[in-house]
Every structure is written in structure tokens, then in C-alpha cells.
Amino acid sequence: MIQRNVRQDIKKALCDLTFVEQTLVGYEIALPQIYHTGETVCITVRQEGDFFIIHDDSAGMMSLESSGTVLSSRTLNALQKGVEAYGCEISGSRVLKRTQDFSDVAAFVAIVGCASRFVADYGLHLPAQAMFDFRKKAVNTLREILGDQRLRENEEITTSLGSKYHVSAAVLDARLVRTIAYIEAISGHQSSTRKFRSLFEIAKTPEIGEISRFSLYDDTSGSVTAGDIDLLKTVSHTVPFKVASQTFSNLHLH
């Protein structure tokens, strides 16, 4: 029989993998699920009139297209049927579900996440990338470079617009008194789009806007495009993962 404290530890660990962030377009929920590309499944909830709209912000479709799958009418029909099996629909390129009952929202977030993964996984007949959590890999590397005491993982930040975000890592100064850098792990196109929004709002927030911002991106999978990098450069210093150790050691963060 599983001991009670073990059950509680497992439940807590699962809950720690779920984040809810308030944004300008609603609430963004990171689920304890990943796409086959290694990106975290994130679902957006917003209210329109009497309805709550729960959708994947086109993440499933973007993941499918990035795998090289051609979206023919036959493919789109197959995707629509598969998504309908989850009680969802494809509207534009988004997988979504609607409800008027707030008590349905949590369950529908999980369902939309599953349906979004169905869309993304449809292209798995193509050569698949190994599954991994780039964010965890990046944070562990930063911890090795900077030390455990100076790193705060999943630091919550409230911007001047009222949005709440969790940055991948906040770095403290050598005396462990003040934050001197925010570092975001960028695993792919979807991640770059979301993190650009948070980095932009951080830059415009007077209390924290002067703190250095870095986008540490995955330069091995090809899922972060040149356009993504150019966009992130407008709000942060962009750093390819392969030179993370050299870069952060030389930036006098110690």
C-alpha cells in the first residue's frame, strides 16, 4: 500500500508542474504535459460575454506544421474528427472548447490540452525529436554555473500592467540580496512567442525594467527560428544554449 506521505509528495510534485499566469488576453495555464517537441502544453482561458473560451493558442497546429506535415484537406478533416472525439473544435488554427459554467473550466483545460497534443502528434510518422524538458535542462545548467543559492526557479513577477508571469530563473547578486538578472528558457517557437510577451512587459515595468534580461534558447532542435531570435533580441540578450556556460560566466553575474 502506498503510504500517505508518498501520495501527498506525488500530488504536490504534479501540482508544482502546473502554473497559472494572468496575461492581457486572459489566463495562461502550463500543464504537466509536453508535446513531442519537448515544449510544455499551455492553454489559455478567457471570458467572452457569458462564455469561457479555452484554447491552445494554435500551439498544436504550429507544432504539427513545424514537423513538416502538409495540411491538406484530407489531413484537416482527420484532425477535425480526432479533436471532435475530445468534444473540442478547430477554429482557425486553434483547438478550443467553450463553456458557460465556470466549474467546467479546469476539466476543459485538461481536455483541450489532450486534444492539442493529438493535433501536434499527428505528424509523428515523420522522424521525431527526442522528448526532453529543455527548461529543466537549462535551469540545471544555470544552477551549475551560478550556484544553487543564487538561482530562484519559477520566480513570479507582477508587471505594471497587472499581468503575472513566472520567469524560468531569477539570479541574485553575490550577497543574495537583490535580483540582477532574469533568464528565460526558450525551447521553440511557441515558447518564444509567450516569453516575448512577458519579457516585453517586464522591460516596461519601472521597478524591474532595468534588471538584465536573457533568453537562453535551444540551438540544437531547429525549433527556434531566426525570426524568433530577432524578436527576442528586442527585449533581451539572446544566448544559444551551447555557449551558456561561457556567456554567463563572462557576464559578471558572479
Side-chain angles (χ1 to χ4, degrees), residues 134-204:
F134 175 74
R135 180 184 159 283
K136 180 60 67 176
K137 180 180 178 181
V139 170
N140 286 341
T141 297
L142 291 170
R143 186 172 283 113
E144 291 176 2
I145 299 169
L146 302 167
D148 187 64
Q149 285 188 312
R150 296 189 55 207
L151 210 67
R152 289 181 177 173
E153 187 176 354
N154 301 323
E155 182 86 343
E156 183 177 275
I157 295 172
T158 301
T159 69
S160 57
L161 295 178
S163 302
K164 295 181 182 295
Y165 297 103
H166 287 85
V167 296
S168 301
V171 182
L172 300 178
D173 64 9
R175 294 186 299 168
L176 308 181
V177 174
R178 63 187 182 88
T179 301
I180 60 173
Y182 294 127
I183 305 175
E184 289 285 22
I186 310 296
S187 58
H189 175 72
Q190 177 200 2
S191 176
S192 68
T193 301
R194 291 190 296 108
K195 295 304 184 180
F196 168 80
R197 186 170 62 204
S198 62
L199 289 166
F200 176 83
E201 289 193 29
I202 290 171
K204 298 299 182 182

Side-chain angles (χ1 to χ4, degrees), residues 39 50 88-89 107 137 168 195 198 224 227 232 246 249 254:
E39 292 196 45
D50 296 331
C88 301
E89 63 180 287
K137 180 180 178 181
S168 301
K195 295 304 184 180
S198 62
V224 180
L232 290 167
Q246 175 185 349
S249 295
H254 295 282

Side-chain angles (χ1 to χ4, degrees), residues 25-40:
V25 295
Y27 292 89
E28 188 173 90
I29 300 99
L31 297 175
Q33 302 179 32
I34 61 172
Y35 295 105
H36 67 274
T37 58
E39 292 196 45
T40 301

